[in-house]
Amino acid sequence: YKKIEGRGRTLLRFTEPEYLRGNALLMIEEEDGRNDTWIYQRDLQRPRRIIAGHKGDSFYGSDLSFEDLEHHDWGRFELRRLPDTIEQGKPSYVVEARTPSDSQYSKVTAIVERERFALLRLDLYGANSSEPIKSLELAPDEIEQAASGILKPTRMQVRQHGREASTEVAFYRIQDDPKIADEL
């Protein structure tokens, strides 16, 4: 992740599983806070734009969608603090966020560890859904704090409720202030 002229840029490079190795995802934050998303497909040796109507599609058959991988401008959300809770043994804040109209979700609930402000769980709700349809879960002991103070997860579990399957995301390297040319 890098900011250029106040707008975020996220570059994800996939190393596993084998069928994703060599693919990449680039998300460019627009002035209005939405993301312009591109995927580089190794087999085709070219990038392809992900149009807004497809951001809710499954990312290569996983439990993640393209929208789930985006960096979000929380200024576009209507935020409301809910009562605190204990999550995985850690005192935590709970924040509900009503999503912008271009999201596949109606709202998300973030559970954030008080001590480090580490995200421990994100529950995602579909339209007219009182229960989450998907949850992103991070274990406190799998979130490292870099010397810069930035929190870096090493693993995340993604669960679609009502299914017996889940997707595990492993982060092998997250760079602070990467030395990537702006043109890239």
Side-chain angles (χ1 to χ4, degrees):
Y1 179 78
K2 180 179 184 179
K3 277 203 172 200
I4 302 168
E5 298 175 6
R7 294 173 31 208
R9 307 285 190 264
T10 303
L11 176 63
L12 300 172
R13 292 184 179 170
F14 299 93
T15 58
E16 289 184 48
E18 175 57 37
Y19 72 91
L20 284 179
R21 184 172 290 137
N23 289 353
L25 194 64
L26 174 66
M27 291 155 283
I28 302 169
E29 187 178 303
E30 298 296 335
E31 288 182 19
D32 64 3
R34 290 180 296 147
N35 287 285
D36 190 13
T37 304
W38 294 80
I39 186 162
Y40 175 80
Q41 297 173 294
R42 170 192 65 189
D43 295 343
L44 300 177
Q45 296 187 349
R46 67 179 186 88
R48 176 175 67 93
R49 184 181 220 162
I50 306 300
I51 60 172
H54 289 255
K55 289 188 179 184
D57 292 354
S58 172
F59 180 75
Y60 285 98
S62 73
D63 294 290
L64 288 161
S65 69
F66 287 97
E67 182 179 350
D68 296 337
L69 297 169
E70 292 180 347
H71 180 267
H72 294 283
D73 175 5
W74 291 100
R76 297 182 65 221
F77 291 71
E78 181 185 318
L79 303 176
R80 181 172 69 116
R81 177 132 180 238
L82 300 178
D84 293 353
T85 191
I86 302 294
E87 177 71 20
Q88 301 177 59
K90 302 287 187 180
S92 300
Y93 299 112
V94 181
V95 177
E96 178 184 87
R98 294 281 173 184
T99 58
S101 61
D102 58 344
S103 175
Q104 67 180 310
Y105 304 111
S106 62
K107 70 177 180 178
V108 298
T109 302
I111 301 172
V112 179
E113 178 189 323
R114 272 194 227 163
E115 183 182 337
R116 300 180 295 166
F117 297 107
L119 178 66
L120 299 180
R121 191 173 85 223
L122 191 67
D123 292 327
L124 303 123
Y125 295 78
N128 304 316
S129 174
S130 61
E131 296 294 320
I133 59 172
K134 185 188 302 185
S135 294
L136 286 65
E137 302 165 351
L138 299 98
D141 61 343
E142 293 180 327
I143 302 171
E144 300 170 351
Q145 188 156 4
S148 64
I150 293 175
L151 298 174
K152 297 180 178 185
T154 58
R155 191 182 69 81
M156 175 177 66
Q157 199 74 20
V158 182
R159 299 183 196 287
Q160 285 200 39
H161 299 276
R163 287 189 56 207
E164 297 280 332
S166 64
T167 298
E168 180 178 306
V169 179
F171 301 93
Y172 294 107
R173 184 177 59 163
I174 299 175
Q175 289 180 274
D176 299 346
D177 191 27
K179 305 302 179 212
I180 298 173
D182 293 353
E183 299 80 38
L184 180 62

